[in-house]
């Protein structure tokens, strides 16, 4: 279906020809953003007015899932169009262009550049395996963007860390997480933070005249750890009134050895020992509110620009984040809190506002944007275009969302169930309609034999 609207008739050498206007793309990625955004209903106290305002006029995908619940494999998968088990990028240290067979991969922005687009980025879009928690570097893939703004990430660290009395050794926390697992208010103006500078670069790009359609990417680092944000966002929340996530005592009793090891329950126990659960949740909500303000700075100025009528906006996280659910504090699981992330698409030309409950994957974004912008098909991608769902949120969709962690650990999510299988063969099955918090693993119930059979067959077809 031809999406671009015929905008003018041009007289050339006595012959009328049609001139076509290509839509621009504004991609906004928010790091470690779970479904606590107001429009997604994940937490009743979330303050995200700017994202919520965008959602009101957009297609809201309430069941969108990452290909891997970790920054590098998730972003690599979305931006290359290939599953982690194809590229071999499972962790944060691999670089996809160093993997055999993927040296010359045409990424999403490169594909747009090949088709006449100007491409630009600011902030974390690709994940950089280099850098430290204290001095993180923005993700970069040389050659993917024609213009790339080099700034730091998030909010500068305070002179003294907070730490909140947590004994990381007793909590079983090692490596970089001992430096990054922290939260607190920083006495700094929004404009002095790196995230705001990232957003402001995007704003300045929108203020300029461009002679080509553009693919513009803006990466906001918060609410990624450490949860440092300007003080005014922490002041929005009263810690005593913070509502904690719903949890079930002994929730890990039916998840199997691998899932239990991933959960890191010792850290959760340490947070409870120090009575810091509400404080940490406040830190996440404050960081999310700050991220929303940065997003709002971009969206408000898009509305003032010459491009508001012809710019497709894609707002997404790269994966979710646990805040005590399943006794876990991070991403990197195959459960709902890690795998699920907000996805909002606004197409000012012919998109429809509404909510879609179809279980789409972030790997589907690449082929979808190709179709929305009427670019030539790219037939080697693993994802499926959901272009029709942007027009009709309740349209048909016959695909489950696949999320992978490491070699051989997978989960499939359809609109009714989540199926998980680990390398040791242990399986989990959850009825998402009756058990949205995934408290009751029903894989061993004989009544679910056919459901398991269906998922096993589907998974085999996808990964083999």
């Amino acid at each position: 279906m031809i999406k671009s609207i015929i905008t003018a008739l041009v007289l050339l050498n006595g012959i009328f020809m049609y001139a076509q206007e290509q839509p621009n793309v504004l991609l906004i990625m928010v790091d470690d953003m779970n479904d606590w955004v107001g429009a997604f209903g994940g937490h009743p106290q979330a303050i995200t007015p700017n994202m919520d305002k965008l959602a009101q006029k957009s297609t809201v995908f309430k069941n969108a899932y990452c290909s891997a619940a970790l920054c590098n494999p998730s972003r690599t998968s979305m931006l290359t169009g290939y599953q982690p088990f194809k590229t071999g990028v499972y962790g944060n240290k691999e670089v996809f262009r160093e993997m055999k067979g993927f040296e010359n991969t045409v990424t999403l922005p490169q594909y747009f550049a090949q088709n006449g687009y100007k491409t630009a980025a600011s902030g974390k879009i690709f994940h950089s395996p280099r850098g430290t928690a204290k001095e993180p570097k923005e993700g970069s893939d040389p050659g993917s963007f024609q213009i790339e703004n080099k700034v730091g990430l998030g909010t500068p660290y305070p002179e003294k860390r907070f730490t909140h009395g947590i004994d990381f050794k007793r909590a079983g926390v090692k490596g970089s997480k001992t430096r990054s697992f922290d939260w607190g208010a920083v006495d700094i103006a929004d404009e002095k933070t790196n995230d705001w500078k990232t957003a402001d670069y995007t704003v300045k790009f929108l203020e300029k005249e461009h002679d080509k359609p553009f693919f513009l990417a803006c990466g906001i680092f918060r609410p990624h750890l450490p949860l440092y944000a300007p003080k005014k966002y922490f002041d929005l929340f009263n810690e005593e009134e913070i509502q904690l996530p719903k949890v079930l005592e002994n929730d890990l009793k039916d998840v199997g050895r691998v899932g239990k090891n991933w959960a890191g329950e010792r850290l959760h126990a340490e947070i409870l020992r120090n009575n810091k659960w509400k404080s940490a949740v406040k830190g996440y909500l404050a960081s999310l509110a700050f991220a929303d303000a940065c997003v709002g700075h971009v969206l408000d100025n898009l509305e003032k620009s010459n491009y508001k009528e012809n710019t497709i906006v894609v707002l997404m996280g790269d994966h979710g984040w646990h805040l005590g659910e399943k006794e876990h504090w991070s991403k990197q699981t195959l459960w709902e809190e890690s795998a699920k992330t907000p996805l909002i698409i606004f197409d000012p030309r012919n998109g429809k506002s509404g909510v879609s409950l179809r279980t789409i994957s972030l790997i589907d974004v690449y082929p979808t944007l190709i179709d929305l912008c009427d670019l030539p098909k790219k037939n080697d991608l693993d994802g499926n275009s959901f272009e029709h769902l942007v027009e009709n949120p309740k349209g048909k969709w016959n695909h489950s969302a696949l999320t992978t962690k490491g070699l051989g650990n997978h989960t499939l999510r359809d609109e009714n169930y989540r199926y998980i299988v680990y390398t040791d063969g242990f399986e989990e099955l959850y009825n998402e309609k009756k058990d949205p918090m995934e408290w009751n693993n029903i894989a061993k119930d004989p009544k679910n034999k056919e459901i398991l059979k269906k998922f096993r067959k589907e998974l085999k077809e996808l990964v083999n």
Side-chain angles (χ1 to χ4, degrees), residues 72-371:
N72 191 31
S74 174
R75 290 164 183 264
T76 295
S77 180
M78 193 278 283
L79 291 161
T80 65
Y82 306 129
Q83 294 283 5
F85 51 83
K86 287 192 177 179
T87 62
V89 175
Y90 293 115
N92 278 345
K93 293 183 178 180
E94 299 98 340
V95 178
F96 72 91
R97 292 207 187 274
E98 296 175 1
M99 310 302 281
K100 186 177 180 180
F102 294 92
E103 300 88 346
N104 299 314
T105 296
V106 178
T107 63
L108 173 59
Q110 281 180 313
Y111 194 72
F112 271 74
Q114 287 180 358
N115 285 277
Y117 276 69
K118 178 185 290 187
T119 62
S122 183
K124 182 180 176 183
I125 302 301
F126 287 87
H127 178 85
S128 173
R130 303 168 182 89
T132 66
K134 190 168 184 178
E135 294 183 357
K137 297 180 180 178
E138 66 281 343
S140 179
D141 171 53
S144 272
F145 291 100
Q146 298 161 343
I147 308 167
E148 195 163 5
N149 182 40
K150 301 293 185 180
V151 293
L153 301 175
T155 303
Y157 280 33
E159 291 185 9
K160 185 178 180 180
R161 294 179 62 215
F162 299 91
T163 68
H164 306 284
I166 294 173
D167 185 333
F168 289 113
K169 185 176 181 181
R170 184 164 57 187
V173 175
K174 301 177 182 178
S176 63
K177 196 169 182 178
T178 62
R179 298 184 295 274
S180 66
F181 194 80
D182 196 16
W183 62 92
V186 179
D187 189 11
I188 190 173
D190 290 8
E191 294 77 12
K192 298 294 184 180
T193 67
N194 294 318
D195 272 342
W196 190 272
K197 291 175 183 176
T198 290
D200 201 50
Y201 174 87
T202 309
V203 168
K204 287 180 170 57
F205 185 96
L206 293 169
E207 291 173 347
K208 297 177 181 177
E209 291 187 11
H210 301 284
D211 57 0
K212 294 180 178 181
F214 57 76
F215 184 104
L216 175 62
C218 173
I220 303 301
F221 194 57
R222 291 293 174 262
H224 191 288
L225 290 175
L227 300 172
Y228 299 146
K231 182 178 180 297
K232 70 179 184 180
Y233 297 99
F234 276 80
D235 291 343
L236 294 172
F237 303 92
N238 183 333
E239 185 172 320
E240 294 181 359
E241 297 176 357
I242 289 292
Q243 296 183 36
L244 296 176
K246 295 179 181 179
V247 296
L248 177 70
E249 189 176 357
N250 298 319
D251 192 12
L252 298 175
K253 69 181 185 303
D254 59 357
V255 303
R257 177 184 60 84
V258 178
K260 187 176 177 67
N261 288 342
W262 288 349
E265 56 188 315
R266 289 165 61 188
L267 176 57
H268 184 61
E270 185 69 9
I271 290 171
L272 295 182
R273 186 179 292 114
N274 287 277
N275 193 27
K276 293 297 181 180
W277 197 353
K278 285 189 175 183
S279 177
V281 168
K282 175 181 175 177
Y284 189 88
L285 287 170
S287 296
L288 181 60
F290 168 55
D292 179 78
C294 295
V295 170
H297 183 47
V298 174
L299 295 178
D300 287 347
N301 282 278
L302 173 63
E303 280 295 305
K304 299 174 185 176
S305 76
N306 295 327
Y307 306 108
K308 70 174 185 176
E309 301 294 341
N310 195 38
T311 298
I312 297 169
V313 179
V314 180
L315 173 69
M316 64 166 66
D318 54 355
H319 46 69
W321 220 80
H322 292 250
L323 287 105
E325 304 94 340
K326 287 279 193 296
E327 300 180 39
H328 186 58
W329 286 84
S330 189
K331 48 254 189 176
Q332 294 205 70
T333 75
L334 296 177
W335 298 309
E336 187 82 353
E337 285 76 23
S338 272
K340 188 176 186 179
T341 191
L343 176 64
I344 298 171
I345 297 184
F346 171 63
D347 186 342
R349 305 162 306 157
N350 43 25
K352 297 293 187 296
S353 62
V355 173
S356 178
L357 298 179
R358 305 299 175 250
T359 51
I360 62 95
S361 169
L362 298 188
I363 203 171
D364 301 323
V365 170
Y366 193 156
T368 299
L369 285 176
I370 285 176
D371 285 352

Side-chain angles (χ1 to χ4, degrees), residues 382-426:
D382 289 336
N384 302 284
S385 173
F386 56 86
E387 172 200 23
H388 64 290
L389 297 179
V390 178
E391 295 182 23
N392 176 18
K394 293 180 170 57
K396 292 184 178 180
W397 184 252
N398 298 315
H399 307 285
S400 298
L402 172 64
T403 304
T404 296
K405 176 175 165 56
L407 182 63
N409 303 289
H410 305 284
T411 179
L412 284 171
R413 176 71 154 85
D414 67 15
E415 291 183 39
N416 298 307
Y417 295 92
R418 174 177 297 285
Y419 168 72
I420 301 174
V421 62
Y422 299 98
T423 51
D424 62 1
F426 189 87

